[in-house]
């Protein structure tokens, strides 16, 4: 068996291989109540929570209103992904925005200078939710907005 002196970096090698935990991205806190036991977004809770109709909410995430009215479309991976992206962004800004309703207002209307004045809503509709999340991470780490 190698000793800590024999192993590069000074660490003793273990006979048991290290297996990194599999990351699980589950919603936390109040956001968890927006998901059903099957892991799908509960659209009725979402629209109620934000005080919107299903049609208004669909427009907010760039989907046709009938998408949220048909179970087969609502449970589609693309639809669930788009809704989850929006909810994740809202959850990230809720604390500094002053609440969920204010976070939704920011999401829908606040121009982001780093994206040429486009809103988070506009970027998510264009499939650029990752860019918004990266931007929010940058700001959270003390970067300029």
């Amino acid at each position: 068996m190698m000793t800590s002196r024999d192993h590069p970096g000074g660490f003793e090698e273990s006979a048991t291989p290290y297996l990194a935990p599999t990351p699980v991205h589950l919603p936390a806190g109040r956001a968890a109540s927006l998901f059903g036991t099957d892991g799908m977004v509960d659209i009725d809770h979402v629209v109620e929570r934000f005080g919107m109709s299903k049609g208004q909410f669909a427009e907010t995430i760039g989907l046709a209103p009938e998408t949220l009215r048909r179970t087969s479309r609502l449970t589609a991976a693309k639809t669930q992904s788009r809704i989850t992206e929006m909810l994740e962004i809202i959850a990230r800004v809720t604390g500094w925005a002053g609440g969920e309703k204010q976070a939704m207002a920011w999401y829908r209307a606040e121009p982001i200078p780093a994206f040429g004045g486009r809103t988070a809503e506009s970027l998510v509709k264009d499939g650029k939710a990752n860019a918004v999340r990266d931007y929010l991470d940058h700001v959270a780490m003390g970067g300029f907005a």
Side-chain angles (χ1 to χ4, degrees):
M1 178 175 198
M2 281 183 155
T3 67
S4 59
R5 278 186 244 147
D6 298 329
H7 192 275
F11 297 104
E12 189 172 313
E13 194 168 329
S14 170
T16 308
Y18 173 74
L19 299 175
T22 304
V24 178
H25 302 288
L26 295 176
R30 288 179 38 99
S33 67
L34 299 176
F35 290 79
T37 57
D38 59 359
M40 297 284 191
V41 176
D42 183 338
I43 196 65
D44 292 327
H45 281 111
V46 172
V47 297
E48 181 182 329
R49 181 105 140 242
F50 291 109
M52 299 177 159
S53 69
K54 286 183 181 179
Q56 291 170 321
F57 185 75
E59 181 182 316
T60 300
I61 57 175
L63 298 173
E66 51 276 354
T67 301
L68 302 183
R69 293 189 184 105
R70 293 187 178 166
T71 304
S72 62
R73 289 186 182 180
L74 178 60
T75 59
K78 179 182 175 185
T79 303
Q80 287 291 310
S81 177
R82 181 73 60 90
I83 296 169
T84 302
E85 289 170 343
M86 191 268 329
L87 292 174
E88 182 180 336
I89 291 167
I90 295 294
R92 286 184 183 204
V93 301
T94 295
W96 58 260
E100 286 178 338
K101 302 252 183 193
Q102 294 88 341
M104 179 61 83
W106 175 88
Y107 173 85
R108 296 189 79 194
E110 188 65 32
I112 303 173
F115 294 106
R118 292 181 68 191
T119 64
E121 176 182 22
S122 168
L123 292 160
V124 170
K125 284 179 178 180
D126 283 347
K128 296 183 170 126
N130 283 337
V132 176
R133 288 191 296 260
D134 289 346
Y135 167 79
L136 293 173
D137 289 343
H138 172 75
V139 171
M141 296 298 292
F144 291 101

